[in-house]
Amino acid sequence: MFDYLYYTPEQLAQDDYFISWVCSTDISTEQFWQNWLETYPFKRADVETARQIVLTIHQLEIPKLSSLQVESLKKSIFSTIDESANHANISVKPAKFYKKNLWLITALAASLVIVLSVFFYKKVDTKTIEYSDLVSEASSKYNLVEVGNLSNAVQLVVLPDGSSVILKKGSKLSYPNHFSDDSREIYLTGEAFFEIAKDPSKPFYVHAHEIITKVLGTSFNVKAYPNDKQIQVSVKTGKVSVYQSNGIEAEQQANHKKLEGFVLSPNQEVIIKRQLLTFEKKNIKAIDKQAISIQNIAFEYEEVSVLKIFKDLSEAYNITIVCDENIFKNCLVTASLTDEPLSEKLKLISKSVEATYEIVNGKIIISGVGCNEQ
């Protein structure tokens, strides 16, 4: 492996291993570069500059040139190299140094010409994507249901697959009244915490302005308010993949069900600068006291009163749970519910205490015969 510590951004942008990291979804390459950046954090600026160069060359359309234009361009490049060498009083006689570095000089010059020609022919698109545009486009595929939270409290939204969404103040969510056979897509502006029902055959996609978050079944938070300059995705359990919505990777991710590319694990987050579309991964070391409570609750119980569990769920999801306390006061539950949406939590709890539940007028009604006294 090369010693990248002394590479310039231009050298990194020409390195095959670096290009593979930027353009592919290889897990080992991602691990190498993330570990390398943690070891040499002062090189982040150089790495990001190099990444933008690679993305510019690989994602933008390169103008098609005729054979005559190619020949003219080659003459121009070598003419520039010769002029630079003459001005610097560099001998062009056969020499080891000249032979060794001619290819590098040529590559650098050619890369510069390519990048400049791209910008001449097509300006980089850094336009932000509005929620209304996403919803308008999605409306051609789905019959959408929109939910907006104008209150100060969080709002629970239960999706057609049983997934739970905790919608924060000033946020909007649009989703199909029925998910398709091969995917689950929803559209967000603002902030929401998700607990996704597990279904590896139907990946779950959160479209939030310029970014898509892809999961198979996990819990995570997305913060993407329309006037903010950055988008933030943080993971509580499981793994998620985050990528640009109008890039090449979006097409690749839509064609398979795996989580690849820029992947976040539990207690990790990414901050995306919306104008530059730069990704910065961080470890979440401390609990955010301002975060909604559900993100900080483990939902792990061992011989705990079911009434205590109902109270936790009521507070976390901001929903009223009604039951006869005299009937259920002797019911103790041992369960691991952290990675489950609300519907699955209620199903497991009800089964354990021989009860049933139904949602009536926005309230959860628990019915059953209760537990015998110990």
Side-chain angles (χ1 to χ4, degrees), residues 265-300:
S265 299
N267 299 317
Q268 289 186 331
E269 68 177 8
V270 62
I271 297 175
I272 304 105
K273 303 294 185 184
R274 295 181 63 186
Q275 284 293 333
L276 299 176
L277 289 176
T278 58
F279 289 59
E280 182 182 3
K281 183 187 290 186
K282 295 181 178 180
N283 292 322
I284 305 173
K285 297 180 179 180
I287 294 176
D288 181 2
K289 298 301 182 181
Q290 300 301 317
I292 55 180
S293 61
I294 192 172
Q295 291 175 246
N296 305 321
I297 298 177
F299 295 111
E300 302 290 331

PDB file of all heavy atoms in Angstrom, residues 265-300:
ATOM      1  N   SER A 265     -23.059   2.502  11.063  1.00  0.00           N
ATOM      2  CA  SER A 265     -23.365   1.476  12.049  1.00  0.00           C
ATOM      3  C   SER A 265     -23.939   2.135  13.296  1.00  0.00           C
ATOM      4  O   SER A 265     -23.991   3.368  13.386  1.00  0.00           O
ATOM      5  CB  SER A 265     -22.086   0.690  12.377  1.00  0.00           C
ATOM      6  OG  SER A 265     -21.584   0.054  11.219  1.00  0.00           O
ATOM      7  N   PRO A 266     -24.385   1.327  14.284  1.00  0.00           N
ATOM      8  CA  PRO A 266     -24.940   1.923  15.507  1.00  0.00           C
ATOM      9  C   PRO A 266     -24.003   2.931  16.156  1.00  0.00           C
ATOM     10  O   PRO A 266     -22.781   2.749  16.173  1.00  0.00           O
ATOM     11  CB  PRO A 266     -25.148   0.701  16.413  1.00  0.00           C
ATOM     12  CG  PRO A 266     -25.396  -0.417  15.455  1.00  0.00           C
ATOM     13  CD  PRO A 266     -24.501  -0.139  14.285  1.00  0.00           C
ATOM     14  N   ASN A 267     -24.578   4.025  16.648  1.00  0.00           N
ATOM     15  CA  ASN A 267     -23.846   5.107  17.311  1.00  0.00           C
ATOM     16  C   ASN A 267     -22.892   5.842  16.365  1.00  0.00           C
ATOM     17  O   ASN A 267     -21.879   6.386  16.792  1.00  0.00           O
ATOM     18  CB  ASN A 267     -23.071   4.583  18.524  1.00  0.00           C
ATOM     19  CG  ASN A 267     -23.998   3.990  19.574  1.00  0.00           C
ATOM     20  OD1 ASN A 267     -25.053   4.554  19.879  1.00  0.00           O
ATOM     21  ND2 ASN A 267     -23.622   2.844  20.103  1.00  0.00           N
ATOM     22  N   GLN A 268     -23.250   5.859  15.085  1.00  0.00           N
ATOM     23  CA  GLN A 268     -22.522   6.661  14.109  1.00  0.00           C
ATOM     24  C   GLN A 268     -23.489   7.618  13.434  1.00  0.00           C
ATOM     25  O   GLN A 268     -24.689   7.363  13.354  1.00  0.00           O
ATOM     26  CB  GLN A 268     -21.846   5.788  13.047  1.00  0.00           C
ATOM     27  CG  GLN A 268     -20.661   5.002  13.550  1.00  0.00           C
ATOM     28  CD  GLN A 268     -19.947   4.270  12.429  1.00  0.00           C
ATOM     29  OE1 GLN A 268     -20.552   3.893  11.425  1.00  0.00           O
ATOM     30  NE2 GLN A 268     -18.647   4.069  12.577  1.00  0.00           N
ATOM     31  N   GLU A 269     -22.957   8.730  12.940  1.00  0.00           N
ATOM     32  CA  GLU A 269     -23.767   9.697  12.214  1.00  0.00           C
ATOM     33  C   GLU A 269     -22.964  10.285  11.070  1.00  0.00           C
ATOM     34  O   GLU A 269     -21.729  10.219  11.060  1.00  0.00           O
ATOM     35  CB  GLU A 269     -24.255  10.816  13.142  1.00  0.00           C
ATOM     36  CG  GLU A 269     -23.153  11.733  13.648  1.00  0.00           C
ATOM     37  CD  GLU A 269     -23.691  12.868  14.516  1.00  0.00           C
ATOM     38  OE1 GLU A 269     -24.880  12.850  14.842  1.00  0.00           O
ATOM     39  OE2 GLU A 269     -22.896  13.766  14.853  1.00  0.00           O
ATOM     40  N   VAL A 270     -23.659  10.836  10.104  1.00  0.00           N
ATOM     41  CA  VAL A 270     -23.004  11.526   9.003  1.00  0.00           C
ATOM     42  C   VAL A 270     -23.629  12.907   8.868  1.00  0.00           C
ATOM     43  O   VAL A 270     -24.839  13.072   9.030  1.00  0.00           O
ATOM     44  CB  VAL A 270     -23.131  10.741   7.677  1.00  0.00           C
ATOM     45  CG1 VAL A 270     -24.584  10.578   7.258  1.00  0.00           C
ATOM     46  CG2 VAL A 270     -22.347  11.450   6.559  1.00  0.00           C
ATOM     47  N   ILE A 271     -22.785  13.885   8.582  1.00  0.00           N
ATOM     48  CA  ILE A 271     -23.238  15.256   8.338  1.00  0.00           C
ATOM     49  C   ILE A 271     -22.906  15.594   6.891  1.00  0.00           C
ATOM     50  O   ILE A 271     -21.747  15.517   6.477  1.00  0.00           O
ATOM     51  CB  ILE A 271     -22.569  16.245   9.305  1.00  0.00           C
ATOM     52  CG1 ILE A 271     -22.979  15.920  10.747  1.00  0.00           C
ATOM     53  CG2 ILE A 271     -22.952  17.686   8.951  1.00  0.00           C
ATOM     54  CD1 ILE A 271     -22.288  16.767  11.788  1.00  0.00           C
ATOM     55  N   ILE A 272     -23.929  15.946   6.121  1.00  0.00           N
ATOM     56  CA  ILE A 272     -23.761  16.248   4.699  1.00  0.00           C
ATOM     57  C   ILE A 272     -23.959  17.735   4.469  1.00  0.00           C
ATOM     58  O   ILE A 272     -25.014  18.289   4.813  1.00  0.00           O
ATOM     59  CB  ILE A 272     -24.770  15.451   3.832  1.00  0.00           C
ATOM     60  CG1 ILE A 272     -24.635  13.953   4.084  1.00  0.00           C
ATOM     61  CG2 ILE A 272     -24.566  15.769   2.356  1.00  0.00           C
ATOM     62  CD1 ILE A 272     -25.742  13.373   4.915  1.00  0.00           C
ATOM     63  N   LYS A 273     -22.946  18.382   3.912  1.00  0.00           N
ATOM     64  CA  LYS A 273     -23.062  19.785   3.511  1.00  0.00           C
ATOM     65  C   LYS A 273     -23.856  19.840   2.205  1.00  0.00           C
ATOM     66  O   LYS A 273     -23.427  19.268   1.194  1.00  0.00           O
ATOM     67  CB  LYS A 273     -21.688  20.419   3.323  1.00  0.00           C
ATOM     68  CG  LYS A 273     -20.788  20.338   4.549  1.00  0.00           C
ATOM     69  CD  LYS A 273     -21.319  21.156   5.704  1.00  0.00           C
ATOM     70  CE  LYS A 273     -20.345  21.149   6.881  1.00  0.00           C
ATOM     71  NZ  LYS A 273     -20.871  21.869   8.056  1.00  0.00           N
ATOM     72  N   ARG A 274     -24.991  20.515   2.214  1.00  0.00           N
ATOM     73  CA  ARG A 274     -25.913  20.417   1.090  1.00  0.00           C
ATOM     74  C   ARG A 274     -25.387  21.040  -0.196  1.00  0.00           C
ATOM     75  O   ARG A 274     -25.642  20.521  -1.286  1.00  0.00           O
ATOM     76  CB  ARG A 274     -27.256  21.056   1.469  1.00  0.00           C
ATOM     77  CG  ARG A 274     -27.967  20.310   2.592  1.00  0.00           C
ATOM     78  CD  ARG A 274     -29.298  20.950   2.929  1.00  0.00           C
ATOM     79  NE  ARG A 274     -30.230  20.899   1.810  1.00  0.00           N
ATOM     80  CZ  ARG A 274     -31.414  21.477   1.804  1.00  0.00           C
ATOM     81  NH1 ARG A 274     -31.814  22.166   2.876  1.00  0.00           N
ATOM     82  NH2 ARG A 274     -32.213  21.384   0.759  1.00  0.00           N
ATOM     83  N   GLN A 275     -24.660  22.141  -0.115  1.00  0.00           N
ATOM     84  CA  GLN A 275     -24.173  22.783  -1.334  1.00  0.00           C
ATOM     85  C   GLN A 275     -23.025  22.004  -1.972  1.00  0.00           C
ATOM     86  O   GLN A 275     -22.965  21.848  -3.182  1.00  0.00           O
ATOM     87  CB  GLN A 275     -23.721  24.215  -1.018  1.00  0.00           C
ATOM     88  CG  GLN A 275     -24.856  25.203  -0.832  1.00  0.00           C
ATOM     89  CD  GLN A 275     -25.628  25.456  -2.122  1.00  0.00           C
ATOM     90  OE1 GLN A 275     -25.096  25.322  -3.213  1.00  0.00           O
ATOM     91  NE2 GLN A 275     -26.895  25.823  -1.995  1.00  0.00           N
ATOM     92  N   LEU A 276     -22.090  21.510  -1.149  1.00  0.00           N
ATOM     93  CA  LEU A 276     -20.927  20.794  -1.667  1.00  0.00           C
ATOM     94  C   LEU A 276     -21.155  19.293  -1.749  1.00  0.00           C
ATOM     95  O   LEU A 276     -20.418  18.570  -2.407  1.00  0.00           O
ATOM     96  CB  LEU A 276     -19.710  21.071  -0.778  1.00  0.00           C
ATOM     97  CG  LEU A 276     -19.266  22.530  -0.683  1.00  0.00           C
ATOM     98  CD1 LEU A 276     -18.115  22.662   0.302  1.00  0.00           C
ATOM     99  CD2 LEU A 276     -18.854  23.052  -2.054  1.00  0.00           C
ATOM    100  N   LEU A 277     -22.187  18.798  -1.031  1.00  0.00           N
ATOM    101  CA  LEU A 277     -22.479  17.369  -0.944  1.00  0.00           C
ATOM    102  C   LEU A 277     -21.266  16.592  -0.442  1.00  0.00           C
ATOM    103  O   LEU A 277     -20.869  15.560  -1.001  1.00  0.00           O
ATOM    104  CB  LEU A 277     -22.951  16.834  -2.291  1.00  0.00           C
ATOM    105  CG  LEU A 277     -24.355  17.293  -2.703  1.00  0.00           C
ATOM    106  CD1 LEU A 277     -24.697  16.800  -4.097  1.00  0.00           C
ATOM    107  CD2 LEU A 277     -25.403  16.807  -1.707  1.00  0.00           C
ATOM    108  N   THR A 278     -20.667  17.108   0.628  1.00  0.00           N
ATOM    109  CA  THR A 278     -19.580  16.407   1.293  1.00  0.00           C
ATOM    110  C   THR A 278     -20.130  15.613   2.472  1.00  0.00           C
ATOM    111  O   THR A 278     -21.063  16.059   3.141  1.00  0.00           O
ATOM    112  CB  THR A 278     -18.512  17.397   1.796  1.00  0.00           C
ATOM    113  OG1 THR A 278     -19.127  18.348   2.696  1.00  0.00           O
ATOM    114  CG2 THR A 278     -17.898  18.147   0.633  1.00  0.00           C
ATOM    115  N   PHE A 279     -19.546  14.449   2.721  1.00  0.00           N
ATOM    116  CA  PHE A 279     -20.001  13.546   3.768  1.00  0.00           C
ATOM    117  C   PHE A 279     -18.934  13.468   4.867  1.00  0.00           C
ATOM    118  O   PHE A 279     -17.782  13.164   4.577  1.00  0.00           O
ATOM    119  CB  PHE A 279     -20.236  12.137   3.210  1.00  0.00           C
ATOM    120  CG  PHE A 279     -21.431  12.025   2.308  1.00  0.00           C
ATOM    121  CD1 PHE A 279     -21.529  12.783   1.155  1.00  0.00           C
ATOM    122  CD2 PHE A 279     -22.452  11.142   2.602  1.00  0.00           C
ATOM    123  CE1 PHE A 279     -22.622  12.672   0.319  1.00  0.00           C
ATOM    124  CE2 PHE A 279     -23.548  11.007   1.769  1.00  0.00           C
ATOM    125  CZ  PHE A 279     -23.638  11.790   0.628  1.00  0.00           C
ATOM    126  N   GLU A 280     -19.339  13.691   6.108  1.00  0.00           N
ATOM    127  CA  GLU A 280     -18.422  13.575   7.245  1.00  0.00           C
ATOM    128  C   GLU A 280     -19.014  12.614   8.265  1.00  0.00           C
ATOM    129  O   GLU A 280     -20.052  12.866   8.863  1.00  0.00           O
ATOM    130  CB  GLU A 280     -18.168  14.936   7.895  1.00  0.00           C
ATOM    131  CG  GLU A 280     -17.187  14.863   9.061  1.00  0.00           C
ATOM    132  CD  GLU A 280     -16.976  16.204   9.739  1.00  0.00           C
ATOM    133  OE1 GLU A 280     -17.636  17.190   9.330  1.00  0.00           O
ATOM    134  OE2 GLU A 280     -16.166  16.263  10.680  1.00  0.00           O
ATOM    135  N   LYS A 281     -18.345  11.481   8.452  1.00  0.00           N
ATOM    136  CA  LYS A 281     -18.822  10.462   9.402  1.00  0.00           C
ATOM    137  C   LYS A 281     -18.230  10.716  10.784  1.00  0.00           C
ATOM    138  O   LYS A 281     -17.048  11.025  10.924  1.00  0.00           O
ATOM    139  CB  LYS A 281     -18.437   9.068   8.912  1.00  0.00           C
ATOM    140  CG  LYS A 281     -18.948   7.928   9.790  1.00  0.00           C
ATOM    141  CD  LYS A 281     -18.405   6.575   9.351  1.00  0.00           C
ATOM    142  CE  LYS A 281     -18.989   6.126   8.048  1.00  0.00           C
ATOM    143  NZ  LYS A 281     -18.559   4.735   7.698  1.00  0.00           N
ATOM    144  N   LYS A 282     -19.071  10.562  11.812  1.00  0.00           N
ATOM    145  CA  LYS A 282     -18.638  10.756  13.189  1.00  0.00           C
ATOM    146  C   LYS A 282     -19.195   9.650  14.071  1.00  0.00           C
ATOM    147  O   LYS A 282     -20.221   9.041  13.763  1.00  0.00           O
ATOM    148  CB  LYS A 282     -19.128  12.108  13.738  1.00  0.00           C
ATOM    149  CG  LYS A 282     -18.544  13.326  13.058  1.00  0.00           C
ATOM    150  CD  LYS A 282     -19.082  14.595  13.717  1.00  0.00           C
ATOM    151  CE  LYS A 282     -18.473  15.851  13.101  1.00  0.00           C
ATOM    152  NZ  LYS A 282     -18.998  17.081  13.754  1.00  0.00           N
ATOM    153  N   ASN A 283     -18.508   9.404  15.188  1.00  0.00           N
ATOM    154  CA  ASN A 283     -19.037   8.520  16.219  1.00  0.00           C
ATOM    155  C   ASN A 283     -19.817   9.351  17.221  1.00  0.00           C
ATOM    156  O   ASN A 283     -19.392  10.443  17.603  1.00  0.00           O
ATOM    157  CB  ASN A 283     -17.912   7.776  16.928  1.00  0.00           C
ATOM    158  CG  ASN A 283     -17.226   6.775  16.023  1.00  0.00           C
ATOM    159  OD1 ASN A 283     -17.873   6.120  15.209  1.00  0.00           O
ATOM    160  ND2 ASN A 283     -15.921   6.640  16.152  1.00  0.00           N
ATOM    161  N   ILE A 284     -20.967   8.847  17.625  1.00  0.00           N
ATOM    162  CA  ILE A 284     -21.789   9.541  18.616  1.00  0.00           C
ATOM    163  C   ILE A 284     -21.331   9.082  19.997  1.00  0.00           C
ATOM    164  O   ILE A 284     -21.610   7.957  20.408  1.00  0.00           O
ATOM    165  CB  ILE A 284     -23.288   9.236  18.415  1.00  0.00           C
ATOM    166  CG1 ILE A 284     -23.702   9.575  16.974  1.00  0.00           C
ATOM    167  CG2 ILE A 284     -24.136  10.012  19.415  1.00  0.00           C
ATOM    168  CD1 ILE A 284     -25.119   9.155  16.650  1.00  0.00           C
ATOM    169  N   LYS A 285     -20.633   9.951  20.715  1.00  0.00           N
ATOM    170  CA  LYS A 285     -20.050   9.564  21.998  1.00  0.00           C
ATOM    171  C   LYS A 285     -20.936   9.913  23.183  1.00  0.00           C
ATOM    172  O   LYS A 285     -20.926   9.244  24.195  1.00  0.00           O
ATOM    173  CB  LYS A 285     -18.685  10.235  22.166  1.00  0.00           C
ATOM    174  CG  LYS A 285     -17.672   9.799  21.120  1.00  0.00           C
ATOM    175  CD  LYS A 285     -16.334  10.481  21.325  1.00  0.00           C
ATOM    176  CE  LYS A 285     -15.325  10.029  20.282  1.00  0.00           C
ATOM    177  NZ  LYS A 285     -14.013  10.692  20.460  1.00  0.00           N
ATOM    178  N   ALA A 286     -21.684  10.988  23.066  1.00  0.00           N
ATOM    179  CA  ALA A 286     -22.507  11.438  24.196  1.00  0.00           C
ATOM    180  C   ALA A 286     -23.966  11.520  23.781  1.00  0.00           C
ATOM    181  O   ALA A 286     -24.289  11.807  22.631  1.00  0.00           O
ATOM    182  CB  ALA A 286     -22.028  12.798  24.703  1.00  0.00           C
ATOM    183  N   ILE A 287     -24.850  11.276  24.712  1.00  0.00           N
ATOM    184  CA  ILE A 287     -26.283  11.374  24.462  1.00  0.00           C
ATOM    185  C   ILE A 287     -26.678  12.832  24.291  1.00  0.00           C
ATOM    186  O   ILE A 287     -26.312  13.690  25.091  1.00  0.00           O
ATOM    187  CB  ILE A 287     -27.090  10.752  25.619  1.00  0.00           C
ATOM    188  CG1 ILE A 287     -26.846   9.247  25.680  1.00  0.00           C
ATOM    189  CG2 ILE A 287     -28.577  11.031  25.461  1.00  0.00           C
ATOM    190  CD1 ILE A 287     -27.521   8.569  26.835  1.00  0.00           C
ATOM    191  N   ASP A 288     -27.380  13.117  23.235  1.00  0.00           N
ATOM    192  CA  ASP A 288     -27.872  14.467  22.984  1.00  0.00           C
ATOM    193  C   ASP A 288     -29.108  14.719  23.850  1.00  0.00           C
ATOM    194  O   ASP A 288     -30.160  14.121  23.639  1.00  0.00           O
ATOM    195  CB  ASP A 288     -28.226  14.629  21.503  1.00  0.00           C
ATOM    196  CG  ASP A 288     -28.724  16.021  21.159  1.00  0.00           C
ATOM    197  OD1 ASP A 288     -28.755  16.878  22.058  1.00  0.00           O
ATOM    198  OD2 ASP A 288     -29.087  16.225  19.986  1.00  0.00           O
ATOM    199  N   LYS A 289     -28.986  15.584  24.820  1.00  0.00           N
ATOM    200  CA  LYS A 289     -30.097  15.829  25.746  1.00  0.00           C
ATOM    201  C   LYS A 289     -31.296  16.454  25.048  1.00  0.00           C
ATOM    202  O   LYS A 289     -32.413  16.394  25.537  1.00  0.00           O
ATOM    203  CB  LYS A 289     -29.619  16.763  26.869  1.00  0.00           C
ATOM    204  CG  LYS A 289     -28.487  16.180  27.708  1.00  0.00           C
ATOM    205  CD  LYS A 289     -28.888  14.877  28.376  1.00  0.00           C
ATOM    206  CE  LYS A 289     -27.777  14.326  29.256  1.00  0.00           C
ATOM    207  NZ  LYS A 289     -28.137  13.054  29.886  1.00  0.00           N
ATOM    208  N   GLN A 290     -31.067  17.059  23.893  1.00  0.00           N
ATOM    209  CA  GLN A 290     -32.168  17.681  23.162  1.00  0.00           C
ATOM    210  C   GLN A 290     -32.858  16.702  22.224  1.00  0.00           C
ATOM    211  O   GLN A 290     -33.882  17.024  21.636  1.00  0.00           O
ATOM    212  CB  GLN A 290     -31.637  18.882  22.346  1.00  0.00           C
ATOM    213  CG  GLN A 290     -31.002  19.970  23.203  1.00  0.00           C
ATOM    214  CD  GLN A 290     -31.969  20.533  24.220  1.00  0.00           C
ATOM    215  OE1 GLN A 290     -33.126  20.783  23.897  1.00  0.00           O
ATOM    216  NE2 GLN A 290     -31.511  20.731  25.445  1.00  0.00           N
ATOM    217  N   ALA A 291     -32.281  15.508  22.087  1.00  0.00           N
ATOM    218  CA  ALA A 291     -32.872  14.540  21.168  1.00  0.00           C
ATOM    219  C   ALA A 291     -34.177  14.006  21.733  1.00  0.00           C
ATOM    220  O   ALA A 291     -34.401  14.001  22.935  1.00  0.00           O
ATOM    221  CB  ALA A 291     -31.896  13.383  20.941  1.00  0.00           C
ATOM    222  N   ILE A 292     -35.041  13.567  20.848  1.00  0.00           N
ATOM    223  CA  ILE A 292     -36.310  13.026  21.317  1.00  0.00           C
ATOM    224  C   ILE A 292     -36.031  11.784  22.155  1.00  0.00           C
ATOM    225  O   ILE A 292     -35.105  11.035  21.896  1.00  0.00           O
ATOM    226  CB  ILE A 292     -37.249  12.718  20.140  1.00  0.00           C
ATOM    227  CG1 ILE A 292     -36.571  11.781  19.128  1.00  0.00           C
ATOM    228  CG2 ILE A 292     -37.700  13.974  19.465  1.00  0.00           C
ATOM    229  CD1 ILE A 292     -37.441  11.448  17.965  1.00  0.00           C
ATOM    230  N   SER A 293     -36.847  11.567  23.185  1.00  0.00           N
ATOM    231  CA  SER A 293     -36.546  10.570  24.198  1.00  0.00           C
ATOM    232  C   SER A 293     -36.413   9.162  23.648  1.00  0.00           C
ATOM    233  O   SER A 293     -35.633   8.362  24.166  1.00  0.00           O
ATOM    234  CB  SER A 293     -37.629  10.604  25.284  1.00  0.00           C
ATOM    235  OG  SER A 293     -38.896  10.303  24.739  1.00  0.00           O
ATOM    236  N   ILE A 294     -37.161   8.840  22.608  1.00  0.00           N
ATOM    237  CA  ILE A 294     -37.136   7.475  22.094  1.00  0.00           C
ATOM    238  C   ILE A 294     -35.748   7.061  21.635  1.00  0.00           C
ATOM    239  O   ILE A 294     -35.388   5.886  21.672  1.00  0.00           O
ATOM    240  CB  ILE A 294     -38.171   7.309  20.955  1.00  0.00           C
ATOM    241  CG1 ILE A 294     -38.356   5.833  20.635  1.00  0.00           C
ATOM    242  CG2 ILE A 294     -37.755   8.098  19.721  1.00  0.00           C
ATOM    243  CD1 ILE A 294     -39.481   5.560  19.681  1.00  0.00           C
ATOM    244  N   GLN A 295     -34.938   7.998  21.218  1.00  0.00           N
ATOM    245  CA  GLN A 295     -33.598   7.671  20.759  1.00  0.00           C
ATOM    246  C   GLN A 295     -32.695   7.236  21.912  1.00  0.00           C
ATOM    247  O   GLN A 295     -31.656   6.624  21.685  1.00  0.00           O
ATOM    248  CB  GLN A 295     -32.966   8.881  20.065  1.00  0.00           C
ATOM    249  CG  GLN A 295     -33.621   9.222  18.740  1.00  0.00           C
ATOM    250  CD  GLN A 295     -33.058  10.490  18.149  1.00  0.00           C
ATOM    251  OE1 GLN A 295     -33.749  11.493  18.027  1.00  0.00           O
ATOM    252  NE2 GLN A 295     -31.800  10.463  17.783  1.00  0.00           N
ATOM    253  N   ASN A 296     -33.071   7.560  23.122  1.00  0.00           N
ATOM    254  CA  ASN A 296     -32.221   7.273  24.270  1.00  0.00           C
ATOM    255  C   ASN A 296     -32.797   6.193  25.180  1.00  0.00           C
ATOM    256  O   ASN A 296     -32.262   5.945  26.255  1.00  0.00           O
ATOM    257  CB  ASN A 296     -32.008   8.559  25.078  1.00  0.00           C
ATOM    258  CG  ASN A 296     -31.448   9.678  24.226  1.00  0.00           C
ATOM    259  OD1 ASN A 296     -30.609   9.440  23.370  1.00  0.00           O
ATOM    260  ND2 ASN A 296     -31.917  10.892  24.446  1.00  0.00           N
ATOM    261  N   ILE A 297     -33.879   5.551  24.752  1.00  0.00           N
ATOM    262  CA  ILE A 297     -34.497   4.497  25.551  1.00  0.00           C
ATOM    263  C   ILE A 297     -34.108   3.140  24.973  1.00  0.00           C
ATOM    264  O   ILE A 297     -34.209   2.912  23.772  1.00  0.00           O
ATOM    265  CB  ILE A 297     -36.036   4.642  25.574  1.00  0.00           C
ATOM    266  CG1 ILE A 297     -36.434   5.975  26.226  1.00  0.00           C
ATOM    267  CG2 ILE A 297     -36.667   3.482  26.342  1.00  0.00           C
ATOM    268  CD1 ILE A 297     -37.925   6.223  26.216  1.00  0.00           C
ATOM    269  N   ALA A 298     -33.669   2.238  25.843  1.00  0.00           N
ATOM    270  CA  ALA A 298     -33.193   0.925  25.385  1.00  0.00           C
ATOM    271  C   ALA A 298     -34.332  -0.044  25.111  1.00  0.00           C
ATOM    272  O   ALA A 298     -34.207  -0.929  24.266  1.00  0.00           O
ATOM    273  CB  ALA A 298     -32.241   0.329  26.416  1.00  0.00           C
ATOM    274  N   PHE A 299     -35.461   0.079  25.817  1.00  0.00           N
ATOM    275  CA  PHE A 299     -36.578  -0.860  25.688  1.00  0.00           C
ATOM    276  C   PHE A 299     -36.130  -2.301  25.943  1.00  0.00           C
ATOM    277  O   PHE A 299     -36.545  -3.228  25.256  1.00  0.00           O
ATOM    278  CB  PHE A 299     -37.244  -0.748  24.310  1.00  0.00           C
ATOM    279  CG  PHE A 299     -37.903   0.572  24.051  1.00  0.00           C
ATOM    280  CD1 PHE A 299     -37.389   1.450  23.120  1.00  0.00           C
ATOM    281  CD2 PHE A 299     -39.045   0.944  24.754  1.00  0.00           C
ATOM    282  CE1 PHE A 299     -37.990   2.682  22.886  1.00  0.00           C
ATOM    283  CE2 PHE A 299     -39.658   2.168  24.518  1.00  0.00           C
ATOM    284  CZ  PHE A 299     -39.123   3.052  23.584  1.00  0.00           C
ATOM    285  N   GLU A 300     -35.274  -2.471  26.943  1.00  0.00           N
ATOM    286  CA  GLU A 300     -34.823  -3.793  27.371  1.00  0.00           C
ATOM    287  C   GLU A 300     -35.399  -4.053  28.759  1.00  0.00           C
ATOM    288  O   GLU A 300     -35.159  -3.275  29.690  1.00  0.00           O
ATOM    289  CB  GLU A 300     -33.292  -3.865  27.410  1.00  0.00           C
ATOM    290  CG  GLU A 300     -32.606  -3.567  26.085  1.00  0.00           C
ATOM    291  CD  GLU A 300     -32.837  -4.670  25.063  1.00  0.00           C
ATOM    292  OE1 GLU A 300     -33.012  -5.830  25.489  1.00  0.00           O
ATOM    293  OE2 GLU A 300     -32.834  -4.375  23.852  1.00  0.00           O
TER     294      GLU A 300
END
